[in-house]
């Protein structure tokens, strides 16, 4: 299969040429045509809450700083000094006071990006005008408590970008605050990580722990494409036997659920309990965790979970950033519980993330082999199947990802 033919084809992507995971030209095109032209998750609003608070993020290969202004508005800039290009903020995050001052020759920019300080300016001559040297601003937009940035000024606004996916996401991410971050690097293409969070075919095999606690967890639910490019993976009624579930949770997961102390009505999993993993194009997944909230969290159910982004570092290397969140105003005890249990499963050392990291690295290594030249994403796509009847292990959402992926790679800059 020639990569060019696949990219130009208009039909749904039942398969993906393996060159998309190993071709350097594809990688370069992804940075400019996808990462520059999509809304990219940067942080949760409370991570930059006071005037002068900033956070550095990398969008594709672009250094971006998100900063809270004196007017409390959030703004984002390419983090590159207009003098000779050095980063203008130190460290990962912090508070810069009223200016971002470059460490190299001390040019200083205010919180709206204007150049306000130049040491010994006279040598530049009378024509020198500080207003010509402001930081390059990029778009910054909030959705619930999430903060997104976009490098390309011409793309659709964030709500249009999220489309039908937006309302599915909103309740999960409104009223939350970040309580911790963790990042790690794996030796594999960035898309392997993102695909994995649209993939409901692997968990019972890859994650023995999930299988042990809820053996039939993927029998009911769905795996839907949410146009354009997003997805919702859902599990319903994961374990009819609550006592078996809590016993397994304790034995295999170390999570104690004080069943005896619960009111009778709560000594079972609500049958309508819905557990979802959502993903937005091209590189974010959202994992609210209602099941964990049934454990020994001191004050009961809350909004807690984590969000992951993946950033390419080449064709066969990528960085995962994981942000654990909780409901705003939660007690210190609840927060400790959320951090302990979420970080236990996910994160560079997590039970679940460790399995997925292993899978991504094995895939990337195998992909070097010159054997079959495509990866298959055809589950749930019998001939003539329109996609109405979705099985949780089907692959509609991965196909939607690659449909939109090809649209981006085909479209000339600025005109999608
Ligand atoms: S590079 Fe920033 S002041 Fe010179
Ligand atoms: Fe997984």
């Amino acid at each position: 299969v020639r990569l060019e033919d696949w990219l130009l084809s208009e039909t749904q992507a039942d398969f993906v040429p393996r060159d998309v995971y190993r071709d350097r030209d594809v990688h370069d095109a992804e940075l400019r045509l996808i990462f520059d032209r999509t809304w990219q998750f940067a942080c949760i609003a409370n991570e930059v809450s006071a005037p002068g608070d900033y956070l550095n993020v990398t969008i594709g290969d672009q250094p971006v700083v998100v900063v809270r202004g004196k007017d409390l508005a959030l703004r984002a800039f390419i983090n590159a000094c207009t003098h000779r290009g050095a980063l203008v903020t130190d460290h990962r995050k912090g508070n810069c006071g009223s200016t971002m001052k470059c460490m190299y020759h001390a040019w200083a920019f205010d919180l709206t990006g204007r150049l306000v300080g130049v040491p010994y300016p006279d040598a530049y001559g009378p024509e020198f005008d500080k207003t010509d040297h402001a930081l390059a601003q990029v778009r910054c937009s909030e959705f619930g408590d999430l903060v997104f940035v976009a490098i390309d000024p011409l793309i659709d606004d964030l709500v249009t970008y999220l489309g039908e996916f937006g309302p599915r996401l909103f309740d999960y991410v409104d009223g939350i605050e970040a309580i911790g971050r963790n990042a790690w690097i794996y030796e594999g293409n960035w898309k392997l990580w993102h695909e994995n969070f649209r993939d409901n075919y692997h968990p019972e095999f890859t994650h023995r722990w999930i299988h042990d606690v809820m053996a039939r967890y993927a029998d009911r639910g769905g795996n839907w494409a949410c146009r354009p490019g997003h997805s919702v993976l859902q599990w319903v009624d994961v374990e009819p036997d609550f006592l078996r579930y809590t016993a397994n949770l304790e034995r295999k997961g170390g999570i104690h659920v004080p069943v005896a102390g619960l009111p009778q009505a709560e000594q079972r999993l609500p049958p309508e309990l819905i557990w979802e993993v959502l993903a937005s194009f091209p590189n974010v997944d959202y994992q609210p965790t209602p099941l964990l909230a049934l454990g020994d969290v001191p004050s009961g159910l809350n909004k807690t979970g984590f969000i992951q982004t993946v950033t390419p570092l080449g064709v066969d290397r990528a960085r995962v950033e994981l942000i654990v969140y909780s409901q705003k105003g939660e007690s210190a005890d609840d927060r400790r519980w959320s951090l302990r249990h979420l970080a236990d499963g996910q994160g560079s050392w997590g039970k679940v993330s460790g399995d997925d990291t292993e899978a991504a690295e094995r895939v990337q290594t195998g992909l070097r082999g010159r054997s079959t030249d495509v990866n298959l994403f055809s589950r749930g796509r019998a001939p003539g199947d329109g996609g109405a009847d979705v099985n949780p292990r089907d692959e509609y959402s991965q196909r939607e990802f690659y449909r939109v992926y090809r649209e981006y790679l085909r479209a000339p800059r600025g005109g999608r």
Side-chain angles (χ1 to χ4, degrees):
V1 178
R2 285 183 58 231
L3 181 62
E4 293 74 15
D5 295 340
W6 179 80
L7 284 172
L8 289 172
S9 150
E10 298 284 345
T11 56
Q12 238 186 342
D14 286 7
F15 62 87
V16 173
R18 293 187 171 179
D19 282 342
V20 304
Y21 305 104
R22 58 194 182 195
D23 184 298
R24 279 170 221 287
D25 291 339
V26 169
H27 170 257
D28 292 347
E30 287 173 347
L31 290 175
R32 296 288 76 82
L33 297 177
I34 296 179
F35 282 83
D36 281 2
R37 298 194 303 163
T38 45
W39 281 99
Q40 291 274 320
F41 173 73
C43 62
I44 297 178
N46 76 299
E47 295 183 274
V48 275
S49 57
D53 279 358
Y54 68 84
L55 180 84
N56 292 332
V57 290
T58 305
I59 303 302
D61 61 352
Q62 298 294 296
V64 169
V65 58
V66 178
V67 62
R68 179 80 67 179
K70 288 196 165 132
D71 56 359
L72 294 181
L74 283 172
R75 294 179 183 82
F77 306 94
I78 299 290
N79 193 348
C81 182
T82 49
H83 179 227
R84 300 259 188 82
L87 298 172
V88 296
T89 49
D90 321 319
H91 316 298
R92 177 88 173 102
K93 61 182 286 194
N95 185 286
C96 63
S98 56
T99 59
M100 295 173 272
K101 191 191 266 184
C102 181
M103 59 82 77
Y104 204 3
H105 312 90
W107 281 27
F109 302 86
D110 74 10
L111 304 180
T112 67
R114 280 185 312 214
L115 176 62
V116 292
V118 175
Y120 313 113
D122 293 352
Y124 285 114
E127 302 294 289
F128 183 78
D129 184 350
K130 289 211 281 285
T131 60
D132 295 338
H133 301 277
L135 290 178
Q137 188 163 359
V138 296
R139 291 160 80 190
C140 182
S141 196
E142 290 170 67
F143 185 83
D145 280 280
L146 308 183
V147 180
F148 287 81
V149 299
I151 305 283
D152 190 321
L154 298 178
I155 65 168
D156 289 338
D157 64 87
L158 179 57
V159 169
T160 307
Y161 177 82
L162 292 172
E164 63 186 54
F165 178 73
R168 294 297 294 264
L169 178 65
F170 189 81
D171 281 345
Y172 285 129
V173 297
D174 188 42
I176 61 168
E177 58 184 3
I179 58 175
R181 273 181 179 252
N182 174 231
W184 67 99
I185 287 170
Y186 68 91
E187 306 293 326
N189 188 274
W190 67 275
K191 295 186 292 300
L192 296 173
W193 193 262
H194 188 71
E195 278 171 14
N196 181 67
F197 294 93
R198 296 171 181 242
D199 184 311
N200 203 14
Y201 187 23
H202 82 283
E204 65 202 272
F205 311 111
T206 305
H207 307 296
R208 188 66 211 184
W209 182 80
I210 290 181
H211 180 271
D212 287 345
V213 175
M214 304 166 283
R216 303 170 43 129
Y217 85 101
D219 288 355
R220 293 189 53 211
N223 189 358
W224 296 281
C226 257
R227 287 181 171 236
H230 317 301
S231 70
V232 176
L233 191 157
Q234 186 184 83
W235 302 305
V236 178
D237 198 12
V238 292
E239 173 57 81
D241 186 336
F242 185 65
L243 291 180
R244 183 170 67 199
Y245 166 73
T246 53
N248 281 335
L249 204 57
E250 175 135 23
R251 194 162 61 237
K252 313 279 187 178
I255 297 172
H256 175 63
V257 182
V259 180
L262 289 176
Q264 199 67 33
E266 290 175 22
Q267 294 192 19
R268 60 194 250 295
L269 287 177
E272 71 282 6
L273 184 97
I274 291 173
W275 186 5
E276 296 187 330
V277 175
L278 298 88
S280 63
F281 187 85
N283 66 334
V284 196
D285 60 88
Y286 312 84
Q287 303 196 43
T289 56
L291 284 185
L292 286 179
L294 290 168
D296 54 1
V297 56
S299 66
L301 195 72
N302 58 12
K303 280 191 191 185
T304 185
F306 53 90
I307 298 170
Q308 296 184 108
T309 62
V310 60
T311 303
L313 298 172
V315 286
D316 54 5
R317 213 155 187 255
R319 181 175 194 273
V320 181
E321 179 98 24
L322 180 142
I323 299 110
V324 179
Y325 65 80
S326 210
Q327 189 160 314
K328 267 182 200 162
E330 205 181 36
S331 73
D333 281 352
D334 281 2
R335 204 174 256 226
R336 228 179 340 266
W337 188 95
S338 299
L339 260 183
R340 183 156 59 87
H341 289 302
L342 293 170
D344 182 50
Q346 309 283 344
S348 52
W349 60 83
K351 288 185 185 73
V352 177
S353 306
D355 300 335
D356 289 326
T357 300
E358 173 74 16
E361 295 191 341
R362 284 198 195 198
V363 170
Q364 191 71 34
T365 307
L367 288 174
R368 292 196 190 108
R370 294 289 162 188
S371 56
T372 315
D373 62 358
V374 297
N375 277 5
L376 265 192
F377 291 96
S378 56
R379 291 182 63 80
R381 189 161 167 75
D385 183 349
D389 186 20
V390 177
N391 181 283
R393 296 181 182 88
D394 287 350
E395 292 169 340
Y396 295 94
S397 62
Q398 293 102 314
R399 288 195 289 277
E400 172 67 1
F401 174 90
Y402 280 107
R403 185 186 69 79
V404 171
Y405 174 88
R406 291 186 299 178
E407 261 183 32
Y408 273 89
L409 289 188
R410 277 197 301 266
R413 191 106 210 258
R416 200 183 145 255

